[in-house]
Amino acid sequence: MTEDLKLTVVELNKLLETDYNLITFDSLSPESLLQVLVDVFHAFGALDKLDVREADPEETNALVMEALRKVQYRPAEDIDDPGAFRRGMVRGEKRLIHPILWWMFEHRERVKKAAYLARFLIPLDLPPEALAMPELGTLWAQYQETMNGFKEAHRAYEQSVHEGTQTRELRNDISAIETEIENVKKRIERTQGRLDKVPQQELLLEAANALRIEKERQKELLQQIDEQRQDLSRASLVHDRLQKELHNAKLSVQGATPRNLMDGLVEETQVLEFMVQQKLPQELQQRQSEVQTLQEVIDEPNITRADLQELQQRIDELTRDIQRMVEGRMADHSTQSDTLGPFRQQAAMVARNKEAAAEQLDQTTKELREVERQLQDRQRHLQDTVGEVILRGEELKQFVSTLRAKSNVYKQQRAELAAVKAEVSDLTQTLENLKSQDPSLSGALSQLAADEDGTVPGGKEDSASRAESPTGGGARGMTELARLVDGLQRAVGAARERVTPLSQQLRPLRERVIELKDEMDSKKQ
């Protein structure tokens, strides 16, 4: 509301050359505010110059209402009392005049046009007695003809103005196109000048043309490749869905025998036969009776209160007759021995149970179809969103069991590898300690390794004889040490031979475990 008032004050100062602000304009007296409205109407050509303080209030109100009719102003929807609106305009109420001013400034061109046309198109208010006079009748006919001529002239003027605007736009467009043509011609001339200096320009032009053709062909091929990739993706999704349906079908028929299938078909056939032969005819008959009853009700004339009372009396009489018949029948059955009574009750109970079971079966079937439809919609939406087949049921259980078995194997082999690594580390540390205690041990070990490889003849006997020194105790100690080192080397070699295939097997298992963990996290999400 404040923004509308600001717009009104700004436009009012421009139109009437005043210096109002929000405070001074809002604090105007009702008479001054009405004078402002009259001045605005005069500025737009909808009203002659008028001084509100000197004119009669009723006359002023009539002129203001006429001006509002000329500019085609419609009051707000919450103002539904024309008398209250006129009285409020006489009193100069702000809640009525402020919206009028804002609307006129908001639709300035429309108000000017309406005020201009109203001066010539609103007919004069003449009494019928005056029109009965021949002279006035002739003048009135001329007046109507002149008004129609003005309408045609104004319509032609509007059309010419519109066509003139279009003509100017077309001329501007033509000028812009001619300028662009000149620029293109100059550019072509400059390009032609540079091209004339190039040797073998014909070959280059042919090569450029061939390059352009090949690029277009490449673009078409890339587009075809994209389309084929999309088709392949859709085909793979369809293939996965069909594979899943095939797997579900195999699971559904797993363990099924011809006898079981035949029994299921027989049972389903019996249920359908019962539904077709007994339940559906009853429902159809019930619907037909309801339709017949409704048709009779429609055909009947309008029921009055007396008819309702008569029907109620007949209902009461029939109820009493039925009660008497039931009591008489019960008395007859009580005096006579009815041996078939229990069987009738059991048959009626079985029939009711059968009918209830059929109702429940029908309701359950409808619910099952609805659930299956929702499940298919959810699966289709999930496949469109995720883009892959989601494991469920037995497939998920089998996948989890396989993952658990591979995880156990991985843990066992990791434990064996850790033990072998620990053993190798201990043996390596022991060998380093022995080498640090006896520096000559390194040469002996290298010589022993060369003997085992067969490079030095003589084998262990030669090394042992060479290891013997003049001191017998030292020679014996070196022999035992060499044997110990030989055993350690053999154990290390055997451990390495065992670890190598395990490490080779462990590497793909680790990669597979990482992939399965990522896949499991995505499935959980």
PDB file of all heavy atoms in Angstrom, residues 220-241:
ATOM      1  N   GLU A 220      27.574 -37.081 -37.292  1.00  0.00           N
ATOM      2  CA  GLU A 220      26.478 -38.050 -37.430  1.00  0.00           C
ATOM      3  C   GLU A 220      26.853 -39.399 -36.834  1.00  0.00           C
ATOM      4  O   GLU A 220      26.039 -40.048 -36.164  1.00  0.00           O
ATOM      5  CB  GLU A 220      26.129 -38.203 -38.918  1.00  0.00           C
ATOM      6  CG  GLU A 220      25.527 -36.949 -39.545  1.00  0.00           C
ATOM      7  CD  GLU A 220      25.253 -37.136 -41.024  1.00  0.00           C
ATOM      8  OE1 GLU A 220      25.591 -38.234 -41.541  1.00  0.00           O
ATOM      9  OE2 GLU A 220      24.711 -36.206 -41.655  1.00  0.00           O
ATOM     10  N   LEU A 221      28.110 -39.826 -37.074  1.00  0.00           N
ATOM     11  CA  LEU A 221      28.546 -41.112 -36.511  1.00  0.00           C
ATOM     12  C   LEU A 221      28.561 -41.076 -34.986  1.00  0.00           C
ATOM     13  O   LEU A 221      28.174 -42.049 -34.328  1.00  0.00           O
ATOM     14  CB  LEU A 221      29.933 -41.472 -37.048  1.00  0.00           C
ATOM     15  CG  LEU A 221      30.004 -41.826 -38.544  1.00  0.00           C
ATOM     16  CD1 LEU A 221      31.447 -42.058 -38.969  1.00  0.00           C
ATOM     17  CD2 LEU A 221      29.161 -43.060 -38.839  1.00  0.00           C
ATOM     18  N   LEU A 222      29.029 -39.949 -34.413  1.00  0.00           N
ATOM     19  CA  LEU A 222      29.014 -39.830 -32.949  1.00  0.00           C
ATOM     20  C   LEU A 222      27.594 -39.860 -32.413  1.00  0.00           C
ATOM     21  O   LEU A 222      27.312 -40.490 -31.378  1.00  0.00           O
ATOM     22  CB  LEU A 222      29.709 -38.533 -32.532  1.00  0.00           C
ATOM     23  CG  LEU A 222      31.219 -38.473 -32.753  1.00  0.00           C
ATOM     24  CD1 LEU A 222      31.758 -37.093 -32.402  1.00  0.00           C
ATOM     25  CD2 LEU A 222      31.935 -39.543 -31.926  1.00  0.00           C
ATOM     26  N   GLN A 223      26.698 -39.202 -33.123  1.00  0.00           N
ATOM     27  CA  GLN A 223      25.297 -39.241 -32.701  1.00  0.00           C
ATOM     28  C   GLN A 223      24.737 -40.656 -32.787  1.00  0.00           C
ATOM     29  O   GLN A 223      24.021 -41.127 -31.880  1.00  0.00           O
ATOM     30  CB  GLN A 223      24.476 -38.289 -33.570  1.00  0.00           C
ATOM     31  CG  GLN A 223      23.018 -38.142 -33.131  1.00  0.00           C
ATOM     32  CD  GLN A 223      22.282 -37.120 -33.972  1.00  0.00           C
ATOM     33  OE1 GLN A 223      22.867 -36.547 -34.889  1.00  0.00           O
ATOM     34  NE2 GLN A 223      21.018 -36.916 -33.671  1.00  0.00           N
ATOM     35  N   GLN A 224      25.085 -41.381 -33.872  1.00  0.00           N
ATOM     36  CA  GLN A 224      24.641 -42.763 -33.980  1.00  0.00           C
ATOM     37  C   GLN A 224      25.245 -43.627 -32.881  1.00  0.00           C
ATOM     38  O   GLN A 224      24.572 -44.519 -32.336  1.00  0.00           O
ATOM     39  CB  GLN A 224      25.023 -43.317 -35.354  1.00  0.00           C
ATOM     40  CG  GLN A 224      24.267 -42.683 -36.515  1.00  0.00           C
ATOM     41  CD  GLN A 224      24.706 -43.239 -37.849  1.00  0.00           C
ATOM     42  OE1 GLN A 224      25.559 -44.132 -37.909  1.00  0.00           O
ATOM     43  NE2 GLN A 224      24.132 -42.715 -38.931  1.00  0.00           N
ATOM     44  N   ILE A 225      26.515 -43.355 -32.536  1.00  0.00           N
ATOM     45  CA  ILE A 225      27.146 -44.127 -31.453  1.00  0.00           C
ATOM     46  C   ILE A 225      26.430 -43.876 -30.129  1.00  0.00           C
ATOM     47  O   ILE A 225      26.175 -44.813 -29.357  1.00  0.00           O
ATOM     48  CB  ILE A 225      28.641 -43.761 -31.358  1.00  0.00           C
ATOM     49  CG1 ILE A 225      29.398 -44.313 -32.577  1.00  0.00           C
ATOM     50  CG2 ILE A 225      29.254 -44.302 -30.066  1.00  0.00           C
ATOM     51  CD1 ILE A 225      30.835 -43.847 -32.658  1.00  0.00           C
ATOM     52  N   ASP A 226      26.090 -42.624 -29.860  1.00  0.00           N
ATOM     53  CA  ASP A 226      25.353 -42.316 -28.635  1.00  0.00           C
ATOM     54  C   ASP A 226      23.995 -43.018 -28.610  1.00  0.00           C
ATOM     55  O   ASP A 226      23.588 -43.580 -27.586  1.00  0.00           O
ATOM     56  CB  ASP A 226      25.166 -40.799 -28.498  1.00  0.00           C
ATOM     57  CG  ASP A 226      26.478 -40.079 -28.266  1.00  0.00           C
ATOM     58  OD1 ASP A 226      27.419 -40.738 -27.782  1.00  0.00           O
ATOM     59  OD2 ASP A 226      26.562 -38.877 -28.570  1.00  0.00           O
ATOM     60  N   GLU A 227      23.301 -42.976 -29.763  1.00  0.00           N
ATOM     61  CA  GLU A 227      22.013 -43.665 -29.815  1.00  0.00           C
ATOM     62  C   GLU A 227      22.166 -45.168 -29.605  1.00  0.00           C
ATOM     63  O   GLU A 227      21.373 -45.795 -28.881  1.00  0.00           O
ATOM     64  CB  GLU A 227      21.352 -43.394 -31.169  1.00  0.00           C
ATOM     65  CG  GLU A 227      20.940 -41.934 -31.366  1.00  0.00           C
ATOM     66  CD  GLU A 227      20.357 -41.697 -32.746  1.00  0.00           C
ATOM     67  OE1 GLU A 227      20.343 -42.668 -33.555  1.00  0.00           O
ATOM     68  OE2 GLU A 227      19.904 -40.555 -33.024  1.00  0.00           O
ATOM     69  N   GLN A 228      23.212 -45.757 -30.212  1.00  0.00           N
ATOM     70  CA  GLN A 228      23.432 -47.192 -30.029  1.00  0.00           C
ATOM     71  C   GLN A 228      23.811 -47.517 -28.589  1.00  0.00           C
ATOM     72  O   GLN A 228      23.415 -48.556 -28.051  1.00  0.00           O
ATOM     73  CB  GLN A 228      24.515 -47.677 -30.989  1.00  0.00           C
ATOM     74  CG  GLN A 228      24.087 -47.654 -32.460  1.00  0.00           C
ATOM     75  CD  GLN A 228      25.189 -48.098 -33.398  1.00  0.00           C
ATOM     76  OE1 GLN A 228      26.300 -48.410 -32.949  1.00  0.00           O
ATOM     77  NE2 GLN A 228      24.892 -48.120 -34.692  1.00  0.00           N
ATOM     78  N   ARG A 229      24.572 -46.621 -27.947  1.00  0.00           N
ATOM     79  CA  ARG A 229      24.899 -46.846 -26.535  1.00  0.00           C
ATOM     80  C   ARG A 229      23.644 -46.787 -25.668  1.00  0.00           C
ATOM     81  O   ARG A 229      23.471 -47.607 -24.760  1.00  0.00           O
ATOM     82  CB  ARG A 229      25.903 -45.800 -26.074  1.00  0.00           C
ATOM     83  CG  ARG A 229      27.320 -46.053 -26.566  1.00  0.00           C
ATOM     84  CD  ARG A 229      28.263 -44.946 -26.120  1.00  0.00           C
ATOM     85  NE  ARG A 229      29.626 -45.191 -26.585  1.00  0.00           N
ATOM     86  CZ  ARG A 229      30.627 -44.325 -26.424  1.00  0.00           C
ATOM     87  NH1 ARG A 229      30.410 -43.171 -25.809  1.00  0.00           N
ATOM     88  NH2 ARG A 229      31.833 -44.620 -26.880  1.00  0.00           N
ATOM     89  N   GLN A 230      22.786 -45.832 -25.962  1.00  0.00           N
ATOM     90  CA  GLN A 230      21.537 -45.767 -25.210  1.00  0.00           C
ATOM     91  C   GLN A 230      20.682 -47.004 -25.451  1.00  0.00           C
ATOM     92  O   GLN A 230      20.108 -47.569 -24.509  1.00  0.00           O
ATOM     93  CB  GLN A 230      20.775 -44.500 -25.602  1.00  0.00           C
ATOM     94  CG  GLN A 230      21.449 -43.208 -25.194  1.00  0.00           C
ATOM     95  CD  GLN A 230      20.712 -41.984 -25.665  1.00  0.00           C
ATOM     96  OE1 GLN A 230      19.654 -42.094 -26.291  1.00  0.00           O
ATOM     97  NE2 GLN A 230      21.245 -40.798 -25.376  1.00  0.00           N
ATOM     98  N   ASP A 231      20.617 -47.438 -26.722  1.00  0.00           N
ATOM     99  CA  ASP A 231      19.866 -48.668 -27.014  1.00  0.00           C
ATOM    100  C   ASP A 231      20.479 -49.866 -26.298  1.00  0.00           C
ATOM    101  O   ASP A 231      19.766 -50.727 -25.774  1.00  0.00           O
ATOM    102  CB  ASP A 231      19.847 -48.917 -28.523  1.00  0.00           C
ATOM    103  CG  ASP A 231      19.078 -47.836 -29.269  1.00  0.00           C
ATOM    104  OD1 ASP A 231      18.248 -47.151 -28.613  1.00  0.00           O
ATOM    105  OD2 ASP A 231      19.311 -47.653 -30.479  1.00  0.00           O
ATOM    106  N   LEU A 232      21.831 -49.910 -26.273  1.00  0.00           N
ATOM    107  CA  LEU A 232      22.501 -51.006 -25.580  1.00  0.00           C
ATOM    108  C   LEU A 232      22.216 -50.965 -24.083  1.00  0.00           C
ATOM    109  O   LEU A 232      22.003 -52.015 -23.452  1.00  0.00           O
ATOM    110  CB  LEU A 232      24.007 -50.927 -25.843  1.00  0.00           C
ATOM    111  CG  LEU A 232      24.873 -52.012 -25.180  1.00  0.00           C
ATOM    112  CD1 LEU A 232      24.473 -53.391 -25.697  1.00  0.00           C
ATOM    113  CD2 LEU A 232      26.351 -51.753 -25.456  1.00  0.00           C
ATOM    114  N   SER A 233      22.211 -49.763 -23.512  1.00  0.00           N
ATOM    115  CA  SER A 233      21.909 -49.649 -22.085  1.00  0.00           C
ATOM    116  C   SER A 233      20.483 -50.106 -21.789  1.00  0.00           C
ATOM    117  O   SER A 233      20.239 -50.861 -20.845  1.00  0.00           O
ATOM    118  CB  SER A 233      22.104 -48.203 -21.629  1.00  0.00           C
ATOM    119  OG  SER A 233      21.754 -48.043 -20.281  1.00  0.00           O
ATOM    120  N   ARG A 234      19.539 -49.654 -22.636  1.00  0.00           N
ATOM    121  CA  ARG A 234      18.160 -50.110 -22.437  1.00  0.00           C
ATOM    122  C   ARG A 234      18.035 -51.612 -22.631  1.00  0.00           C
ATOM    123  O   ARG A 234      17.328 -52.288 -21.870  1.00  0.00           O
ATOM    124  CB  ARG A 234      17.241 -49.362 -23.401  1.00  0.00           C
ATOM    125  CG  ARG A 234      17.024 -47.900 -23.057  1.00  0.00           C
ATOM    126  CD  ARG A 234      15.874 -47.315 -23.863  1.00  0.00           C
ATOM    127  NE  ARG A 234      16.213 -47.213 -25.265  1.00  0.00           N
ATOM    128  CZ  ARG A 234      16.750 -46.145 -25.842  1.00  0.00           C
ATOM    129  NH1 ARG A 234      17.019 -45.068 -25.113  1.00  0.00           N
ATOM    130  NH2 ARG A 234      17.024 -46.118 -27.135  1.00  0.00           N
ATOM    131  N   ALA A 235      18.736 -52.144 -23.634  1.00  0.00           N
ATOM    132  CA  ALA A 235      18.682 -53.593 -23.852  1.00  0.00           C
ATOM    133  C   ALA A 235      19.279 -54.361 -22.677  1.00  0.00           C
ATOM    134  O   ALA A 235      18.762 -55.418 -22.284  1.00  0.00           O
ATOM    135  CB  ALA A 235      19.419 -53.945 -25.147  1.00  0.00           C
ATOM    136  N   SER A 236      20.375 -53.825 -22.112  1.00  0.00           N
ATOM    137  CA  SER A 236      20.962 -54.493 -20.942  1.00  0.00           C
ATOM    138  C   SER A 236      20.010 -54.461 -19.750  1.00  0.00           C
ATOM    139  O   SER A 236      19.892 -55.449 -19.007  1.00  0.00           O
ATOM    140  CB  SER A 236      22.284 -53.818 -20.575  1.00  0.00           C
ATOM    141  OG  SER A 236      22.065 -52.458 -20.223  1.00  0.00           O
ATOM    142  N   LEU A 237      19.303 -53.328 -19.565  1.00  0.00           N
ATOM    143  CA  LEU A 237      18.324 -53.266 -18.482  1.00  0.00           C
ATOM    144  C   LEU A 237      17.204 -54.269 -18.701  1.00  0.00           C
ATOM    145  O   LEU A 237      16.783 -54.976 -17.773  1.00  0.00           O
ATOM    146  CB  LEU A 237      17.746 -51.860 -18.383  1.00  0.00           C
ATOM    147  CG  LEU A 237      18.697 -50.760 -17.896  1.00  0.00           C
ATOM    148  CD1 LEU A 237      18.000 -49.409 -17.943  1.00  0.00           C
ATOM    149  CD2 LEU A 237      19.177 -51.057 -16.492  1.00  0.00           C
ATOM    150  N   VAL A 238      16.729 -54.348 -19.960  1.00  0.00           N
ATOM    151  CA  VAL A 238      15.685 -55.334 -20.262  1.00  0.00           C
ATOM    152  C   VAL A 238      16.203 -56.747 -20.050  1.00  0.00           C
ATOM    153  O   VAL A 238      15.498 -57.623 -19.515  1.00  0.00           O
ATOM    154  CB  VAL A 238      15.188 -55.125 -21.709  1.00  0.00           C
ATOM    155  CG1 VAL A 238      14.226 -56.232 -22.109  1.00  0.00           C
ATOM    156  CG2 VAL A 238      14.511 -53.770 -21.852  1.00  0.00           C
ATOM    157  N   HIS A 239      17.470 -56.992 -20.454  1.00  0.00           N
ATOM    158  CA  HIS A 239      18.054 -58.320 -20.261  1.00  0.00           C
ATOM    159  C   HIS A 239      18.154 -58.667 -18.782  1.00  0.00           C
ATOM    160  O   HIS A 239      17.830 -59.803 -18.373  1.00  0.00           O
ATOM    161  CB  HIS A 239      19.434 -58.345 -20.920  1.00  0.00           C
ATOM    162  CG  HIS A 239      20.161 -59.649 -20.747  1.00  0.00           C
ATOM    163  ND1 HIS A 239      21.053 -59.872 -19.719  1.00  0.00           N
ATOM    164  CD2 HIS A 239      20.091 -60.808 -21.448  1.00  0.00           C
ATOM    165  CE1 HIS A 239      21.526 -61.099 -19.803  1.00  0.00           C
ATOM    166  NE2 HIS A 239      20.966 -61.690 -20.858  1.00  0.00           N
ATOM    167  N   ASP A 240      18.605 -57.707 -17.968  1.00  0.00           N
ATOM    168  CA  ASP A 240      18.690 -57.969 -16.523  1.00  0.00           C
ATOM    169  C   ASP A 240      17.314 -58.241 -15.932  1.00  0.00           C
ATOM    170  O   ASP A 240      17.147 -59.152 -15.099  1.00  0.00           O
ATOM    171  CB  ASP A 240      19.330 -56.770 -15.822  1.00  0.00           C
ATOM    172  CG  ASP A 240      20.779 -56.574 -16.223  1.00  0.00           C
ATOM    173  OD1 ASP A 240      21.386 -57.560 -16.685  1.00  0.00           O
ATOM    174  OD2 ASP A 240      21.292 -55.447 -16.087  1.00  0.00           O
ATOM    175  N   ARG A 241      16.317 -57.473 -16.377  1.00  0.00           N
ATOM    176  CA  ARG A 241      14.976 -57.697 -15.862  1.00  0.00           C
ATOM    177  C   ARG A 241      14.449 -59.069 -16.268  1.00  0.00           C
ATOM    178  O   ARG A 241      13.858 -59.792 -15.457  1.00  0.00           O
ATOM    179  CB  ARG A 241      14.049 -56.599 -16.370  1.00  0.00           C
ATOM    180  CG  ARG A 241      12.612 -56.717 -15.900  1.00  0.00           C
ATOM    181  CD  ARG A 241      11.804 -55.503 -16.324  1.00  0.00           C
ATOM    182  NE  ARG A 241      11.831 -55.284 -17.746  1.00  0.00           N
ATOM    183  CZ  ARG A 241      11.070 -55.952 -18.621  1.00  0.00           C
ATOM    184  NH1 ARG A 241      10.220 -56.862 -18.192  1.00  0.00           N
ATOM    185  NH2 ARG A 241      11.149 -55.686 -19.907  1.00  0.00           N
TER     186      ARG A 241
END
